[in-house]
PDB file of all heavy atoms in Angstrom:
ATOM      1  N   LYS P 214      64.783  57.547 114.968  1.00 92.00           N
ATOM      2  CA  LYS P 214      65.371  57.369 113.625  1.00 92.00           C
ATOM      3  C   LYS P 214      65.786  58.724 113.128  1.00 92.00           C
ATOM      4  O   LYS P 214      65.142  59.734 113.427  1.00 92.00           O
ATOM      5  CB  LYS P 214      64.466  56.742 112.657  1.00 92.00           C
ATOM      6  CG  LYS P 214      63.952  55.322 112.999  1.00 92.00           C
ATOM      7  CD  LYS P 214      62.953  54.754 111.967  1.00 92.00           C
ATOM      8  CE  LYS P 214      62.645  53.336 112.298  1.00 92.00           C
ATOM      9  NZ  LYS P 214      61.754  52.754 111.281  1.00 92.00           N
ATOM     10  N   GLU P 215      66.789  58.795 112.222  1.00 94.00           N
ATOM     11  CA  GLU P 215      67.203  60.043 111.462  1.00 94.00           C
ATOM     12  C   GLU P 215      66.111  60.312 110.543  1.00 94.00           C
ATOM     13  O   GLU P 215      65.551  59.476 109.864  1.00 94.00           O
ATOM     14  CB  GLU P 215      68.514  59.770 110.872  1.00 94.00           C
ATOM     15  CG  GLU P 215      69.737  59.724 111.873  1.00 94.00           C
ATOM     16  CD  GLU P 215      71.029  59.742 111.039  1.00 94.00           C
ATOM     17  OE1 GLU P 215      71.314  58.711 110.454  1.00 94.00           O
ATOM     18  OE2 GLU P 215      71.804  60.613 111.207  1.00 94.00           O
ATOM     19  N   LEU P 216      66.035  61.621 110.369  1.00 90.00           N
ATOM     20  CA  LEU P 216      65.062  62.107 109.408  1.00 90.00           C
ATOM     21  C   LEU P 216      65.453  63.589 109.026  1.00 90.00           C
ATOM     22  O   LEU P 216      65.691  64.503 109.933  1.00 90.00           O
ATOM     23  CB  LEU P 216      63.610  62.284 110.107  1.00 90.00           C
ATOM     24  CG  LEU P 216      62.336  62.599 109.278  1.00 90.00           C
ATOM     25  CD1 LEU P 216      62.142  61.454 108.226  1.00 90.00           C
ATOM     26  CD2 LEU P 216      61.260  62.822 110.157  1.00 90.00           C
ATOM     27  N   PRO P 217      65.731  63.826 107.719  1.00 88.00           N
ATOM     28  CA  PRO P 217      66.123  65.065 107.314  1.00 88.00           C
ATOM     29  C   PRO P 217      65.232  66.219 107.798  1.00 88.00           C
ATOM     30  O   PRO P 217      64.053  66.164 107.633  1.00 88.00           O
ATOM     31  CB  PRO P 217      66.147  64.993 105.842  1.00 88.00           C
ATOM     32  CG  PRO P 217      66.369  63.584 105.453  1.00 88.00           C
ATOM     33  CD  PRO P 217      65.597  62.876 106.610  1.00 88.00           C
ATOM     34  N   GLY P 218      65.735  67.231 108.483  1.00 89.00           N
ATOM     35  CA  GLY P 218      65.037  68.321 109.034  1.00 89.00           C
ATOM     36  C   GLY P 218      64.426  67.942 110.348  1.00 89.00           C
ATOM     37  O   GLY P 218      63.788  68.913 110.896  1.00 89.00           O
ATOM     38  N   PHE P 219      64.537  66.755 110.792  1.00 92.00           N
ATOM     39  CA  PHE P 219      64.052  66.330 112.155  1.00 92.00           C
ATOM     40  C   PHE P 219      62.540  66.521 112.274  1.00 92.00           C
ATOM     41  O   PHE P 219      61.820  66.408 111.275  1.00 92.00           O
ATOM     42  CB  PHE P 219      64.859  67.098 113.211  1.00 92.00           C
ATOM     43  CG  PHE P 219      66.323  67.008 112.911  1.00 92.00           C
ATOM     44  CD1 PHE P 219      67.066  68.097 112.545  1.00 92.00           C
ATOM     45  CD2 PHE P 219      67.012  65.830 112.986  1.00 92.00           C
ATOM     46  CE1 PHE P 219      68.382  68.018 112.253  1.00 92.00           C
ATOM     47  CE2 PHE P 219      68.409  65.744 112.649  1.00 92.00           C
ATOM     48  CZ  PHE P 219      69.100  66.869 112.316  1.00 92.00           C
ATOM     49  N   ILE P 220      62.045  66.975 113.375  1.00 93.00           N
ATOM     50  CA  ILE P 220      60.519  67.128 113.556  1.00 93.00           C
ATOM     51  C   ILE P 220      60.059  68.493 113.188  1.00 93.00           C
ATOM     52  O   ILE P 220      59.373  68.728 112.329  1.00 93.00           O
ATOM     53  CB  ILE P 220      60.199  66.780 114.983  1.00 93.00           C
ATOM     54  CG1 ILE P 220      60.639  65.306 115.427  1.00 93.00           C
ATOM     55  CG2 ILE P 220      58.621  66.872 115.200  1.00 93.00           C
ATOM     56  CD1 ILE P 220      60.542  64.989 116.815  1.00 93.00           C
ATOM     57  N   GLY P 221      60.594  69.545 114.007  1.00 92.00           N
ATOM     58  CA  GLY P 221      60.016  70.857 113.903  1.00 92.00           C
ATOM     59  C   GLY P 221      60.125  71.421 112.495  1.00 92.00           C
ATOM     60  O   GLY P 221      59.284  72.149 112.046  1.00 92.00           O
ATOM     61  N   ASN P 222      61.455  71.298 111.929  1.00 92.00           N
ATOM     62  CA  ASN P 222      61.630  72.046 110.655  1.00 92.00           C
ATOM     63  C   ASN P 222      60.782  71.421 109.531  1.00 92.00           C
ATOM     64  O   ASN P 222      60.403  72.078 108.644  1.00 92.00           O
ATOM     65  CB  ASN P 222      63.101  71.898 110.303  1.00 92.00           C
ATOM     66  CG  ASN P 222      63.957  72.916 110.931  1.00 92.00           C
ATOM     67  OD1 ASN P 222      63.328  73.822 111.635  1.00 92.00           O
ATOM     68  ND2 ASN P 222      65.174  72.888 110.925  1.00 92.00           N
ATOM     69  N   ARG P 223      60.461  70.127 109.681  1.00 92.00           N
ATOM     70  CA  ARG P 223      59.636  69.513 108.607  1.00 92.00           C
ATOM     71  C   ARG P 223      58.196  69.997 108.778  1.00 92.00           C
ATOM     72  O   ARG P 223      57.550  70.278 107.759  1.00 92.00           O
ATOM     73  CB  ARG P 223      59.614  67.873 108.794  1.00 92.00           C
ATOM     74  CG  ARG P 223      60.868  67.316 108.456  1.00 92.00           C
ATOM     75  CD  ARG P 223      60.832  65.737 108.650  1.00 92.00           C
ATOM     76  NE  ARG P 223      60.098  65.184 107.607  1.00 92.00           N
ATOM     77  CZ  ARG P 223      60.724  64.694 106.413  1.00 92.00           C
ATOM     78  NH1 ARG P 223      61.966  64.790 106.191  1.00 92.00           N
ATOM     79  NH2 ARG P 223      59.876  64.164 105.492  1.00 92.00           N
ATOM     80  N   LEU P 224      57.775  70.204 109.918  1.00 92.00           N
ATOM     81  CA  LEU P 224      56.410  70.843 110.082  1.00 92.00           C
ATOM     82  C   LEU P 224      56.367  72.278 109.617  1.00 92.00           C
ATOM     83  O   LEU P 224      55.485  72.731 108.959  1.00 92.00           O
ATOM     84  CB  LEU P 224      56.038  70.759 111.562  1.00 92.00           C
ATOM     85  CG  LEU P 224      55.782  69.401 112.142  1.00 92.00           C
ATOM     86  CD1 LEU P 224      55.565  69.477 113.634  1.00 92.00           C
ATOM     87  CD2 LEU P 224      54.669  68.721 111.442  1.00 92.00           C
ATOM     88  N   GLN P 225      57.468  73.088 110.053  1.00 92.00           N
ATOM     89  CA  GLN P 225      57.552  74.461 109.523  1.00 92.00           C
ATOM     90  C   GLN P 225      57.622  74.588 108.105  1.00 92.00           C
ATOM     91  O   GLN P 225      57.102  75.447 107.425  1.00 92.00           O
ATOM     92  CB  GLN P 225      58.813  75.158 110.123  1.00 92.00           C
ATOM     93  CG  GLN P 225      58.730  75.479 111.691  1.00 92.00           C
ATOM     94  CD  GLN P 225      59.778  76.288 112.094  1.00 92.00           C
ATOM     95  OE1 GLN P 225      59.708  77.258 112.821  1.00 92.00           O
ATOM     96  NE2 GLN P 225      61.048  75.865 111.721  1.00 92.00           N
ATOM     97  N   GLU P 226      58.345  73.577 107.445  1.00 92.00           N
ATOM     98  CA  GLU P 226      58.544  73.671 106.029  1.00 92.00           C
ATOM     99  C   GLU P 226      57.283  73.489 105.183  1.00 92.00           C
ATOM    100  O   GLU P 226      57.086  74.042 104.170  1.00 92.00           O
ATOM    101  CB  GLU P 226      59.551  72.578 105.475  1.00 92.00           C
ATOM    102  CG  GLU P 226      59.987  72.590 104.110  1.00 92.00           C
ATOM    103  CD  GLU P 226      60.774  73.807 103.688  1.00 92.00           C
ATOM    104  OE1 GLU P 226      61.317  74.504 104.559  1.00 92.00           O
ATOM    105  OE2 GLU P 226      61.021  74.058 102.519  1.00 92.00           O
ATOM    106  N   ALA P 227      56.408  72.621 105.678  1.00 92.00           N
ATOM    107  CA  ALA P 227      55.150  72.493 105.071  1.00 92.00           C
ATOM    108  C   ALA P 227      54.310  73.667 105.080  1.00 92.00           C
ATOM    109  O   ALA P 227      53.752  74.058 104.015  1.00 92.00           O
ATOM    110  CB  ALA P 227      54.376  71.225 105.778  1.00 92.00           C
TER     111      ALA P 227
END
Side-chain angles (χ1 to χ4, degrees):
K214 294 182 179 180
E215 285 186 297
L216 190 65
F219 314 108
I220 302 168
N222 279 351
R223 293 179 73 91
L224 296 172
Q225 286 190 135
E226 184 69 14

